[in-house]
Amino acid sequence: MKDHSSPHDRPMIEVENLHKHFGPLHVLNGINLSITTGEVVCIIGPSGSGKSTLLRCINHLEVPESGRIRIDGKLAYRDEEGGVFKAHSNRAVAAVRAQVGMVFQHFNLFPHLTVMGNLVEAPIHVLRQPRAAARRRAMELLEMVGLGDKADAYPEELSGGQQQRAAIARALAMDPKAMLFDEVTSALDPELVAEVLAVMRRLAGQGMTMLVVTHEMNFARQAASRVIFMDHGRIVEESSPEQIFGAPREPRTRDFLRTVLDR
């Protein structure tokens, strides 16, 4: 495991007292979290604990009722004056979201575009990159994820693992400062999981700041600088992988790990 953290590095993602409800359900209950530049943080926990909602709030796919999110030191998605918040414009929100790439459980590739088309769409239309430059960068990324020969293929012609690797490359094409991964292997057949995790390990080794919601305990144990256990909308425990998997302090963490590791 590579330790990416350093006390001299600045926080890339900061979450302060975040609250989110879905109706009467308090999905995020006062989340506080700071992720250092280059750190790989894995979030584990039972279904319904708020893990995915936290990622979706950081990427502004869900809007929390209260709390603050900072990306690279700047308040994200809204301004604050005298304790009063004012939402950013759609353009300003899109500019912040472009800095935080997100990869989903179900790929979300555009079926009518080739793999190359999927990768260059946002850089050309959002970042205003010249088409030739966007295509060059896309090919570099496809080579990196092992899909250099699939640029002209359509998503339906790819395996699930290939589609997920293409989705990772598409997120990287925006040159994000951090990457969010939301259970990206849970929809894959077991034999395809390893190829996606290998790409994520390569990114971690390159120093990409990563926040990963996962049920792959071996990946969390081997690749994370820090592991967070969430339950009922709260962070119950966070520590090094060695501490969490070897000697968790909280009974709820121990119960959860006993359940998932005994399967």
Side-chain angles (χ1 to χ4, degrees):
M1 185 198 73
K2 181 178 178 180
D3 184 4
H4 302 289
S5 61
S6 164
H8 304 294
D9 288 344
R10 68 187 187 281
M12 179 55 70
I13 299 173
E14 298 171 273
V15 176
E16 179 185 334
N17 197 29
L18 208 67
H19 289 265
K20 174 66 179 176
H21 289 79
F22 290 127
L25 189 61
H26 202 167
V27 183
L28 297 177
N29 191 352
I31 297 293
N32 291 286
L33 176 62
S34 180
I35 300 172
T36 303
T37 301
E39 193 176 14
V40 178
V41 176
C42 287
I43 305 178
I44 62 174
S47 297
S49 57
K51 308 183 301 295
S52 294
T53 301
L54 174 58
L55 261 60
R56 292 176 66 84
C57 285
I58 292 171
N59 198 242
H60 205 63
L61 295 171
E62 300 286 352
V63 181
E65 290 90 31
S66 62
R68 296 172 181 83
I69 296 170
R70 291 183 177 85
I71 306 296
D72 200 13
K74 298 179 181 178
L75 190 64
Y77 311 122
R78 53 187 185 165
D79 293 315
E80 181 181 8
E81 292 184 13
V84 177
F85 289 103
K86 179 182 178 182
H88 284 174
S89 67
N90 289 341
R91 182 184 295 271
V93 167
V96 176
R97 287 177 67 182
Q99 300 177 45
V100 186
M102 187 158 178
V103 185
F104 302 87
Q105 179 178 341
H106 292 292
F107 322 140
N108 289 7
L109 296 172
F110 298 118
H112 64 289
L113 296 178
T114 63
V115 171
M116 175 62 73
N118 269 275
L119 264 67
V120 301
E121 179 80 5
I124 290 172
H125 296 290
V126 178
L127 300 183
R128 307 298 184 193
Q129 289 182 3
R131 181 172 295 274
R135 287 183 63 88
R136 280 196 301 271
R137 176 60 176 154
M139 277 308 305
E140 291 174 2
L141 292 169
L142 289 175
E143 293 287 352
M144 189 197 82
V145 301
L147 295 175
D149 60 340
K150 299 295 184 182
D152 296 324
Y154 285 87
E156 66 179 11
E157 300 172 312
L158 304 180
S159 70
Q162 290 172 329
Q163 289 187 59
Q164 195 58 288
R165 285 184 280 149
I168 293 172
R170 181 178 66 175
L172 291 170
M174 294 295 284
D175 196 23
K177 294 179 177 179
M179 289 282 288
L180 311 176
F181 295 88
D182 187 13
E183 296 279 17
V184 296
T185 60
S186 60
L188 299 178
D189 293 332
E191 65 270 20
L192 302 178
V193 169
E195 64 189 52
V196 175
L197 293 181
V199 171
M200 293 171 66
R201 285 191 177 94
R202 194 173 308 136
L203 279 177
Q206 293 170 356
M208 172 62 75
T209 306
M210 295 166 56
L211 183 57
V212 183
V213 169
T214 186
H215 63 276
E216 297 289 341
M217 297 299 143
N218 282 334
F219 176 82
R221 190 195 302 262
Q222 295 166 10
S225 347
R226 183 160 40 115
V227 177
I228 290 172
F229 173 66
M230 284 184 65
D231 193 25
H232 291 100
R234 298 179 183 272
I235 292 177
V236 176
E237 185 169 355
E238 60 179 305
S239 191
S240 67
E242 293 82 4
Q243 177 76 44
I244 292 290
F245 291 104
R249 292 184 295 270
E250 298 295 330
R252 182 67 189 95
T253 312
R254 290 197 293 270
D255 291 344
F256 171 78
L257 289 173
R258 189 178 301 117
T259 300
V260 297
L261 295 176
D262 285 349
R263 286 175 183 168

